[in-house]
Amino acid sequence: MTNSKQQQKTKFQRKGNSRGPLPQRRSFLSDRQLQVLAVSLLIAAILLVYWPVRSFEFIDYDDGPYVFKNLNLQSGITRTSLIWAFTTTWAGNWHPLTWLSHMLDCHLFGLNPGPHHLISLFFHLANTFLLFWVFRRMTGRPWVSWSVTALFALHPLRVESVAWIAERKDVLSTFFWILTMGMYVRYVEKPGSGRYWLILL
């Protein structure tokens, strides 16, 4: 009686396993595709929040001496204006890259404030993408890196940097700061004099 029950049990187990192990459930998207999707959603969120800046005007609080009342910029990129950018301490600052940035805007768009705002928005998008790349490369943890990047991208403190034309220096300095971090990570991964000079540059 016992042997008969055992045989029936073995027969039932074989019948149940006749199809072999159950296939593992595959994700619809690969990890790389998920990361691309996550970054795309982040970019979409930034554009949703900041797109209205395209219709903003200049404000008479530093935008004047920085752009629309600054005759040194309004002539666009010339030999005289380039020398001025690297030698002046206008508005209490020596920041030639900031002046060159505003100068290029005036050269391309004149005193139409919309494109000036959109250039700052472009830099913020570039900063967000760079920050995600640097954190992911430093930590190897894409979703933690994405969370920190999202906090940076959508934090209220970024509004002043993006929506105020005179704060172009903020998005510019952030761009080169994050780029320097990225170059340092590459140098640590594979030290070399060329990569070290890129950090200094």
Side-chain angles (χ1 to χ4, degrees):
M1 187 70 177
T2 305
N3 290 337
S4 176
K5 288 183 178 180
Q6 184 67 31
Q7 289 174 357
Q8 288 178 356
K9 184 177 179 181
T10 302
K11 184 178 180 181
F12 176 77
Q13 288 175 340
R14 287 176 180 173
K15 185 177 180 181
N17 294 333
S18 61
R19 296 182 182 179
L22 293 174
Q24 292 183 352
R25 187 175 296 175
R26 294 182 179 179
S27 175
F28 181 70
L29 297 173
S30 67
D31 285 344
R32 184 176 182 83
Q33 289 172 326
L34 284 171
Q35 290 179 46
V36 170
L37 177 61
V39 172
S40 299
L41 289 174
L42 188 55
I43 291 173
I46 294 171
L47 290 176
L48 180 66
V49 170
Y50 286 107
W51 191 243
V53 300
R54 74 192 188 282
S55 60
F56 289 1
E57 297 292 332
F58 292 111
I59 60 172
D60 200 9
Y61 187 77
D62 283 355
D63 282 357
Y66 271 77
V67 182
F68 70 85
K69 292 181 181 178
N70 191 333
L71 298 178
N72 299 289
L73 300 183
Q74 293 175 23
S75 58
I77 298 177
T78 65
R79 182 175 179 274
T80 302
S81 62
L82 288 174
I83 293 173
W84 177 85
F86 281 92
T87 57
T88 187
T89 55
W90 182 267
N93 295 294
W94 184 81
H95 47 197
L97 288 180
T98 298
W99 294 128
L100 291 175
S101 173
H102 289 304
M103 199 180 295
L104 182 59
D105 285 359
C106 289
H107 190 88
L108 296 174
F109 314 118
L111 292 180
N112 179 7
H116 290 251
H117 284 293
L118 289 178
I119 293 298
S120 293
L121 174 57
F122 167 78
F123 271 106
H124 185 54
L125 286 167
N127 292 341
T128 300
F129 180 80
L130 274 175
L131 191 64
F132 175 71
W133 173 73
V134 169
F135 281 161
R136 183 169 58 85
R137 193 146 180 172
M138 287 171 63
T139 66
R141 303 175 68 186
W143 298 112
V144 173
S145 301
W146 185 87
S147 300
V148 175
T149 303
L151 181 63
F152 163 82
L154 300 172
H155 196 282
L157 283 176
R158 302 279 67 77
V159 174
E160 181 179 284
S161 304
V162 179
W164 185 15
I165 290 175
E167 276 299 285
R168 174 69 59 80
K169 54 185 177 288
D170 193 12
V171 291
L172 275 174
S173 63
T174 302
F175 176 80
F176 287 105
W177 160 54
I178 300 174
L179 198 59
T180 303
M181 289 172 60
M183 294 301 100
Y184 182 74
V185 171
R186 292 180 71 248
Y187 170 77
V188 170
E189 292 172 346
K190 188 178 179 181
S193 59
R195 295 188 175 195
Y196 189 76
W197 282 108
L198 275 176
I199 297 168
L200 294 178
L201 178 64

